[in-house]
Each structure stands twice: as structure tokens, then as C-alpha cells.
Amino acid sequence: MVKMTVVGRAYDGLPVAHHPRILNGEDANMLFYKQQAEFILKEICRGALLPSKMSINIDDQYCFIYLIENGICYITLCEFSYPRRLVFHYLQDLNKEMEKLDTNFLHTMSKPYSFIKFDNVIANIRRQYIDTRTQANLSKLNANRRQDLDVMTEDMSKIIENKRRSEFIEKALAPIPVSPIWSSPRLEAIALKWTPITLMSVVAIVVLGSRFIVKDY
């Protein structure tokens, strides 16, 4: 069964619609999965997940499946036993409905989940896929049955680990910030003026000190 769906812009990671609506504290589990869907969207945005469609295993109970079309990403959480072929039919139906709308404003949105109109579209299409045994869904499952789905599968734990490794490498390669004090033109002029004098003073002290040491012997 399809449990939750998030729709967002693949090029900047902004989620624009989702269903069902989850209020903070209402369902801790669904809120957690919603945050994971947003994380996947961000990973797609930064180029860490390159396939246009993918299945992401979470545990023995649920998995995420996403589809990217025309810069829009459709991510759904479904039961692990739910037919993958049917999930992609569901995501493709969402994309078909999106293409019927004037989506120019979709690319100017700045507030997450502000495309409330599409929440209702998700809800209506989702109802069609609740029961896998309906005649319509059985026909979709049997169509091109011999043709395997060309879908990459990954574990959520590995995606999270890759993210952590990437952040560690970025921090390790980041240049050490230079204090603006030392880049001051005034300090640079002072350094150019006094550095030779300081070096000469140090040399003179060393030479004189060595002479006194020789005399003592």
C-alpha cells in the first residue's frame, strides 16, 4: 500500500506538495518518514542520487520509490511487499496530472508545501492504488509482465553513510580561514618594514652571545 507521497523540485530540493498532511506530533513515525523523503530530495538536488528512478530500502517493512520527470521528483513511501510495477504506474499518473496543470508558478514558489491544490490530486490518485486486486490494477500488473523494471535499488543506510563521508571530506579539504587582521594592508606594511630589522637584531644577539661564550672558554 502507498503510505505517503512527497512531490518536490529536483533541481533545488524544495518540497511543494505531499499527502497525507502530517501535523507535528500527530504521527511520529510518518513525520520521520516525511523527513527522510525530504532528505532524499536534497540528495537528488546535490547530485548524490543520479538515477531518474530508484527504489530505496528502509527496512523490512517500508521502502521509498521515486521518479523524476521534467525537473519534478515524485517520492512515495510504500510497503515493501507492494508491487514495484504498480508504484511506478502510480508515480507516472501523478506526473500526467501535473502536466495538465499550469506549472509556471511551481518554479517560482519559495515556501515548502505551498502547492496545496496538488495534495488533493495525490489523494484522489492514491485511492485508485489502495487495492491491488482491482481490475484496473491487475491489468497494469499483467501488462508487459515479462519486461523487467530497470530500476536501481539502494539502502537508505548506505545513502546516509555516503552523505556523512562526503561532509567529512568537504571539511577536510576546506581551506583554513585566514583572519582579516593578517590581511590588513597596514599590518603588511608594518611587517615589510620591521621584519628585516627584527631579523638583523636576532642575528646580532646570536653573534654577540656566541662571542661571550667563546671568551668564557
Side-chain angles (χ1 to χ4, degrees), residues 1-2 82-83 86 125-141:
M1 179 178 177
V2 174
Y82 195 85
L86 211 53
I125 296 179
R126 177 177 175 270
R127 290 192 196 99
Q128 301 172 23
Y129 287 86
I130 291 176
D131 187 355
T132 60
R133 297 167 298 177
T134 63
Q135 187 59 47
N137 287 335
L138 288 174
S139 297
K140 292 171 184 176
L141 286 172

Side-chain angles (χ1 to χ4, degrees), residues 34-116:
K34 176 187 170 187
Q35 292 169 344
Q36 284 198 319
E38 292 169 351
F39 169 75
I40 292 172
L41 191 56
K42 288 292 184 183
E43 290 302 280
I44 292 171
C45 165
R46 77 181 189 93
L49 299 176
L50 297 177
S52 60
K53 53 185 176 180
M54 193 174 189
S55 176
I56 300 174
N57 298 332
I58 305 173
D59 47 39
D60 294 336
Q61 188 175 6
Y62 295 119
C63 68
F64 279 112
I65 293 179
Y66 75 74
L67 174 71
I68 302 173
E69 292 286 352
N70 301 317
I72 304 299
C73 181
Y74 307 87
I75 306 174
T76 191
L77 174 74
C78 60
E79 293 173 343
F80 199 81
S81 58
Y82 195 85
R84 297 292 191 275
R85 191 180 299 277
L86 211 53
V87 178
F88 280 104
H89 274 287
Y90 164 69
L91 297 177
Q92 287 164 358
D93 283 352
L94 290 179
N95 179 59
K96 290 175 183 176
E97 291 301 314
M98 182 70 79
E99 290 177 343
K100 295 177 183 178
L101 303 174
D102 180 8
T103 57
N104 290 330
F105 73 97
L106 183 66
H107 302 287
T108 61
M109 289 180 178
S110 58
K111 184 180 178 182
Y113 301 114
S114 53
F115 194 10
I116 299 175

Side-chain angles (χ1 to χ4, degrees), residues 3-41:
K3 303 292 289 185
M4 180 190 66
T5 303
V6 172
V7 178
R9 295 192 307 225
Y11 54 86
D12 65 357
L14 181 75
V16 298
H18 73 113
H19 181 81
R21 285 270 166 176
I22 303 168
L23 301 176
N24 291 338
E26 183 180 279
D27 189 329
N29 288 332
M30 282 298 105
L31 182 59
F32 170 74
Y33 289 125
K34 176 187 170 187
Q35 292 169 344
Q36 284 198 319
E38 292 169 351
F39 169 75
I40 292 172
L41 191 56

Side-chain angles (χ1 to χ4, degrees), residues 124-212:
N124 291 334
I125 296 179
R126 177 177 175 270
R127 290 192 196 99
Q128 301 172 23
Y129 287 86
I130 291 176
D131 187 355
T132 60
R133 297 167 298 177
T134 63
Q135 187 59 47
N137 287 335
L138 288 174
S139 297
K140 292 171 184 176
L141 286 172
N142 292 327
N144 300 322
R145 193 169 185 176
R146 295 181 179 180
Q147 184 178 354
D148 293 332
L149 282 173
D150 183 18
V151 180
M152 182 177 176
T153 301
E154 188 62 275
D155 292 330
M156 189 66 170
S157 58
K158 186 174 180 180
I159 294 173
I160 294 173
E161 180 59 32
N162 290 341
K163 170 67 172 177
R164 290 174 179 168
R165 188 180 295 113
S166 175
E167 289 177 343
F168 176 80
I169 294 173
E170 287 177 3
K171 289 180 181 179
L173 297 178
I176 299 174
V178 178
S179 173
I181 296 175
W182 299 110
S183 60
S184 169
R186 186 174 181 181
L187 281 179
E188 185 179 350
I190 293 172
L192 290 173
K193 179 179 179 180
W194 291 102
T195 298
I197 297 174
T198 304
L199 289 174
M200 291 175 64
S201 299
V202 172
V203 171
I205 292 170
V206 171
V207 172
L208 290 173
S210 62
R211 287 183 179 179
F212 283 118

